[in-house]
Amino acid sequence: MLDEKTISIVQSTAPVLKEHSKEIGLRFYKLLFEKAPDLYNVFNQTNQKRGIQQEALGYSVYAAGEYITNLDAIKPVIERISQKHRAIGIKAEQYPVVGETLLQAVKDVLGAAATDEIIDAWGKAYGYISDAFISLEEKLYEETKNQAGGWEGYKDFYVDKKVKESEDVTSFYLKPKDGKQVATYKPGQYLTIKASIPGEKYTHIRHYSLSEAPGKEYYRISIKREDEHQSTPEGIVSNYLHNEIKEGDTLQFSAPAGDFVLDTKDTPLVLISGGIGITPILSMLNTVASEQPNRQVTLIYATRNSKHHPFKTHIHQLESSHTNIKTLICYDSPAVEDKQGVDFDIEGYIDQELLSSVIENKNVDVYLCGSIPFMESVINSLDKIEVPRDNIHYESFSPLAILGEE
């Protein structure tokens, strides 16, 4: 346990680190890649270019310092990061270089304000926090390896089938190349791919949600092709998978991971998603359809129009064949051929008025997935209609870990 003096220093300086979190994150990754260039094979370089990973690191450092005496308060952050560390293969021996680099980044950014006493205190705090991560991750590695069909590291899968779901979403059905059974997973979890792309100096690692219910002889991931926009580059991995990978080709994946998982109790369920956020939500919906025929579930899905509406026919069939399932489809930019009442239900966005009309009983479990702005907006609306925060669960496709915080 940390001594009182160390705790006092860390908690009193945490707000300073928060104020300079972006600069610390930028400096940290620059130093880290200089010390250990092989880590370019681990970290998402697109997120590096966009500054997202740096911001996430800065937030995590600040949060850990603020809650150093009560890590349970940031348990969601710790669990989410630990799951991703297990998925990409972070090991205990990598923590020291990260700690050294982090402290150097703090010194470089804060200058003389980062006294030896402050750096020493944060060094002790980092050791305390990293021990918590290492302990949890060791358990995750052990559980993953020892489960039926489980494995450690990355394993070869071949693309058994490739199905176009919409204009920009394609599903990949994956089977293990060794012919063994696939390890089970919980609805909402993801697979992690390590892609070696011709022309790219480093491998690329990405997380893709499993879009089918567990219990099949295959894994299914459904990937949106990320095109270049004004502020964001083209998705290197998504375009490679869409354009270059064919049925029969081999890809490498680590075992399913993630803390965004469906609780299978019988409370009413509201599933809310936007765009490609439908993937883990669909896994949950399919699971309820097959295993909980009496559980009331409402799916609220927002997308642009029918051209960008993956699994449209499947979702309609689920609703028509299951009395416990209701769906509400929102298009914000319906195409000329899209018909309200047939292709979609509401023109516009998911807002407070819509949610209050659907969620009459606050004793519901809400699962939410989509872009950061989308989820921030929905969580704000859920707060206003007084859905308890403990009932709201979400998955972010961004390294930023906590939403709806002041």
Side-chain angles (χ1 to χ4, degrees):
M1 187 62 187
L2 297 171
D3 60 88
E4 289 299 323
K5 183 178 179 182
T6 296
I7 291 170
S8 176
I9 292 171
V10 167
Q11 290 184 327
S12 65
T13 55
V16 180
L17 268 64
K18 181 183 182 183
E19 182 183 348
H20 297 277
S21 60
K22 187 171 184 180
E23 300 97 308
I24 291 171
L26 288 167
R27 183 63 179 156
F28 167 80
Y29 280 110
K30 184 177 187 300
L31 291 171
L32 185 66
F33 291 139
E34 288 173 356
K35 290 182 180 181
D38 59 304
L39 290 178
Y40 275 115
N41 294 301
V42 174
F43 290 97
N44 185 324
Q45 294 306 307
T46 300
N47 284 341
Q48 286 286 320
K49 290 175 183 176
R50 294 170 63 189
I52 295 175
Q53 217 147 28
Q54 295 90 329
E55 187 179 350
L57 171 80
Y59 174 85
S60 299
V61 171
Y62 156 71
E66 185 179 26
Y67 297 102
I68 192 68
T69 58
N70 181 22
L71 292 182
D72 281 346
I74 54 169
K75 190 176 179 181
V77 180
I78 292 174
E79 290 183 349
R80 189 158 297 172
I81 293 173
S82 293
Q83 286 281 347
K84 292 195 173 180
H85 281 180
R86 200 285 297 160
I88 66 179
I90 297 295
K91 294 297 180 69
E93 54 266 26
Q94 293 173 302
Y95 275 87
V97 68
V98 170
E100 293 166 12
T101 308
L102 181 59
L103 294 177
Q104 183 61 53
V106 171
K107 285 197 284 187
D108 290 352
V109 171
L110 299 186
T115 64
D116 290 344
E117 186 178 52
I118 290 173
I119 293 300
D120 181 61
W122 275 94
K124 291 178 181 177
Y126 176 81
Y128 174 70
I129 296 164
S130 63
D131 284 347
F133 275 103
I134 290 168
S135 176
L136 178 55
E137 287 158 20
E138 284 178 347
K139 291 178 183 177
L140 291 175
Y141 278 113
E142 196 68 20
E143 290 171 1
T144 302
K145 183 175 64 174
N146 292 333
Q147 68 173 317
W151 70 96
E152 188 171 6
Y154 290 87
K155 179 175 175 175
D156 287 343
F157 285 76
Y158 69 91
V159 179
D160 181 57
K161 191 165 56 171
K162 187 176 175 182
V163 178
K164 192 174 179 65
E165 307 289 2
S166 70
E167 189 172 282
D168 52 4
V169 175
T170 294
S171 287
F172 296 79
Y173 290 72
L174 308 164
K175 291 187 176 180
K177 208 166 182 182
D178 61 11
K180 296 181 180 179
Q181 73 177 95
V182 297
T184 191
Y185 57 92
K186 297 176 182 178
Q189 291 191 305
Y190 53 80
L191 287 182
T192 300
I193 186 173
K194 181 171 70 173
S196 299
I197 302 175
E200 290 290 320
K201 184 177 180 180
Y202 302 102
T203 57
H204 291 268
I205 290 179
R206 296 290 187 275
H207 308 296
Y208 292 116
S209 295
L210 289 146
S211 60
E212 179 58 285
K216 312 296 182 186
E217 296 180 349
Y218 57 83
Y219 291 135
R220 185 179 74 182
I221 54 175
S222 304
I223 300 169
K224 179 186 176 186
R225 185 189 66 250
E226 297 293 347
D227 298 322
E228 183 178 359
H229 298 290
Q230 291 181 346
S231 59
T232 57
E234 176 184 278
I236 295 172
V237 179
S238 66
N239 276 271
Y240 169 67
L241 294 172
H242 272 251
N243 301 332
E244 304 298 331
I245 293 300
K246 305 178 295 296
E247 292 179 356
D249 286 349
T250 299
L251 297 168
Q252 289 192 314
F253 293 91
S254 65
D259 65 323
F260 177 66
V261 296
L262 178 67
D263 189 324
T264 54
K265 59 188 178 185
D266 288 326
T267 54
L269 184 64
V270 177
L271 305 174
I272 306 173
S273 59
I276 194 57
I278 188 64
T279 49
I281 294 300
L282 184 61
S283 176
M284 296 179 182
L285 184 66
N286 286 348
T287 300
V288 172
S290 62
E291 298 181 11
Q292 295 183 290
N294 296 318
R295 186 177 190 181
Q296 295 303 308
V297 54
T298 300
L299 169 70
I300 308 175
Y301 179 55
T303 189
R304 284 156 62 187
N305 50 49
S306 59
K307 294 179 181 178
H308 301 274
H309 187 170
F311 310 107
K312 177 183 172 183
T313 301
H314 173 73
I315 291 170
H316 281 318
Q317 288 175 342
L318 281 180
E319 182 178 31
S320 62
S321 59
H322 293 77
T323 57
N324 62 316
I325 295 176
K326 295 181 180 179
T327 68
L328 195 60
I329 309 298
C330 304
Y331 285 178
D332 60 74
S333 304
V336 174
E337 64 272 19
D338 292 339
K339 293 182 172 58
Q340 191 165 1
V342 178
D343 300 291
F344 67 101
D345 301 296
I346 294 173
E347 180 175 354
Y349 301 92
I350 299 174
D351 57 18
Q352 181 182 340
E353 182 180 357
L354 172 59
L355 291 172
S356 64
S357 70
V358 174
I359 304 175
E360 297 176 355
N361 178 3
K362 304 302 186 293
N363 184 31
V364 297
D365 276 323
V366 178
Y367 288 79
L368 173 64
C369 188
S371 69
I372 294 291
F374 171 82
M375 292 197 294
E376 287 280 19
S377 174
V378 172
I379 288 174
N380 183 54
S381 294
L382 291 171
D383 283 343
K384 289 179 179 177
I385 63 173
E386 300 180 340
V387 174
R389 274 296 179 89
D390 287 346
N391 292 17
I392 302 172
H393 318 273
Y394 65 85
E395 175 70 297
S396 168
F397 294 144
S398 163
L400 294 172
I402 295 294
L403 299 177
E405 296 293 317
E406 294 298 332

